[in-house]
């Protein structure tokens, strides 16, 4: 049986996340405390007892989801036997640590740098994202290309659900045109900026040096990366794809399709929430999905 382990991205967070792991498992507690040291603030206080508002800040959200996902994967012990892994956006870093390509410390440092770089890029130019429901990918791509302001297809989440990203003017114009073209909904998202768009170029440049300087090894199984949804084990290729990911699209629909084509029998979501399981089911209703639990 081939099991695909999948790791969520930003948006899956909730107050109280990770607390069970911290309380039940000494090894998990030690990793959370090590994370507090590395980050220089007690992220566990925000995760367990903070407000939604505190947890929603990009610089908190990304390491929080990474920690919940990676520490849970480690707590699974010998039962964690992935045939393949993938992560949605930020989740790609969680997947790499879980699959042994990145150390826990290096993964956390990169995620913290990524979150801070993205936050800064968001502050340079006001920007946003919007979910487009009920249109095919090609129509969304074509209409985005017709808008003069910056707007691109950013997250291919599942058939009929594509998130666009760009300047506020670009996203507003695209939403109006996409609604005219028959979108069921064009819903602006409550996010800090235009993730996975050309507006993330400053963050990409900042993160590139950090990724290049980090030791990445061959993972224990293939990782299907966001940028092209293909499977990789070569560390040099994995690094290049991680760098490209910040300004490139998250091809989640295609990732799930490729994992299924390569024989995935079951998908196990490792981390907070169950968003990815829902997206997998929208790609293939027969797919077996579950949440990791210790």
């Amino acid at each position: 049986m081939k099991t695909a382990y999948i790791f969520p991205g930003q948006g899956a967070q909730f107050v109280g996340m990770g607390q069970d792991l911290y309380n039940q498992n000494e090894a998990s507690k030690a990793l959370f405390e090590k994370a507090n040291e590395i980050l220089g603030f007690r992220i566990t206080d925000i995760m367990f007892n903070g407000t939604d508002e505190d947890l929603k800040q990009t610089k908190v959200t990304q390491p929080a989801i990474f920690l919940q996902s990676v520490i849970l994967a480690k707590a699974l012990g010998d039962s964690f036997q992935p045939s393949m892994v993938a992560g949605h956006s930020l989740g790609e870093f969680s997947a790499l640590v879980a699959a042994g390509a990145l150390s826990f410390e290096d993964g956390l440092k990169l995620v913290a740098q990524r979150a801070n770089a993205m936050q800064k890029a968001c502050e340079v130019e006001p920007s946003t994202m919007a979910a487009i429901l009920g249109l095919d990918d090609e129509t969304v791509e074509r209409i985005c290309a017709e808008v003069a302001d910056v707007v691109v297809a950013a997250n291919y989440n599942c058939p009929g659900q594509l998130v666009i990203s760009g300047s506020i003017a670009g996203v507003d114009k695209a939403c109006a045109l996409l609604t005219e073209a028959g979108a069921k909904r064009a819903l602006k998202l409550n996010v800090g900026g235009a993730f996975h768009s050309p507006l993330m170029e400053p963050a990409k440049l900042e993160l590139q040096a950090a990724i290049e300087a980090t030791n990445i090894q061959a993972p224990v199984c293939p990782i299907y990366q966001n940028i092209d949804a293909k499977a990789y084990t070569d560390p040099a290729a994995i690094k290049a794809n991680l760098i490209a990911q910040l300004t490139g699209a998250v091809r989640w629909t295609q990732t799930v399709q490729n994992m299924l084509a390569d024989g995935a029998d079951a998908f196990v979501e490792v981390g907070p929430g169950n968003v990815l399981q829902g997206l997998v089911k929208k790609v293939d209703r027969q797919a077996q999905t579950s949440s990791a639990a210790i």
Side-chain angles (χ1 to χ4, degrees):
M1 183 154 166
K2 284 191 174 182
T3 305
Y5 285 85
I6 51 178
F7 296 79
Q10 207 160 334
Q13 72 277 2
F14 61 90
V15 174
M17 60 190 279
Q19 192 155 16
D20 288 355
L21 270 174
Y22 185 96
N23 292 338
Q24 289 169 13
N25 187 306
E26 278 304 315
S28 297
K29 182 177 181 177
L31 286 172
F32 275 117
E33 288 300 342
K34 184 184 266 190
N36 287 333
E37 277 175 46
I38 290 169
L39 293 170
F41 67 97
R42 289 195 62 80
I43 192 167
T44 49
D45 290 351
I46 303 173
M47 289 171 70
F48 305 162
N49 303 306
T51 64
D52 286 336
E53 217 41 53
D54 293 337
L55 197 54
K56 235 171 35 189
Q57 298 173 73
T58 294
K59 66 180 183 185
V60 175
T61 311
Q62 293 195 20
I65 292 169
F66 167 87
L67 289 171
Q68 157 83 343
S69 301
V70 167
I71 294 173
L72 175 55
K74 288 185 181 295
L76 294 172
D78 292 342
S79 69
F80 182 72
Q81 299 284 344
S83 304
M84 52 187 88
V85 294
H88 192 290
S89 188
L90 154 75
E92 194 159 281
F93 290 82
S94 310
L96 284 167
V97 174
L102 258 177
S103 73
F104 174 80
E105 294 84 352
D106 285 345
L108 179 57
K109 285 173 189 167
L110 280 181
V111 165
Q113 283 174 290
R114 179 183 190 266
N116 287 325
M118 288 170 80
Q119 188 115 20
K120 272 194 271 181
C122 293
E123 286 158 12
V124 170
E125 181 174 345
S127 52
T128 192
M129 302 174 82
I132 309 302
L133 308 182
L135 278 183
D136 61 277
D137 294 349
E138 293 73 20
T139 302
V140 178
E141 290 164 349
R142 177 178 55 75
I143 287 174
C144 283
E146 289 168 7
V147 175
D149 298 277
V150 177
V151 60
V152 294
N155 294 353
Y156 294 76
N157 283 336
C158 62
Q161 189 196 118
L162 210 169
V163 175
I164 61 172
S165 182
S167 67
I168 289 172
V171 170
D172 285 346
K173 283 176 195 166
C175 283
L177 291 169
L178 290 161
T179 303
E180 275 174 39
K184 284 183 191 161
R185 290 189 79 182
L187 182 71
K188 283 178 84 171
L189 303 179
N190 183 16
V191 292
F195 304 144
H196 301 287
S197 83
L199 296 179
M200 283 292 120
E201 190 64 33
K204 178 180 165 183
L205 293 173
E206 192 173 322
L207 199 63
Q208 183 166 354
I211 289 172
E212 284 169 353
T214 299
N215 178 36
I216 292 184
Q217 300 172 17
V220 297
C221 64
I223 176 162
Y224 289 69
Q225 290 191 274
N226 291 176
I227 196 71
D228 62 5
K230 292 177 182 167
Y232 290 90
T233 54
D234 173 59
I238 288 169
K239 278 189 179 187
N241 293 336
L242 272 185
I243 293 162
Q245 190 223 59
L246 266 184
T247 52
V250 175
R251 298 186 178 276
W252 191 253
T253 305
Q254 299 86 337
T255 295
V256 174
Q257 288 166 340
N258 289 344
M259 288 176 131
L260 287 164
D262 291 343
D265 298 300
F267 291 80
V268 180
E269 186 165 1
V270 188
N274 55 11
V275 170
L276 297 184
Q277 293 171 69
L279 298 182
V280 168
K281 288 281 195 194
K282 290 209 170 92
V283 175
D284 180 357
R285 241 185 306 177
Q286 305 306 312
Q288 189 184 322
T289 64
S290 62
S291 294
I294 52 167

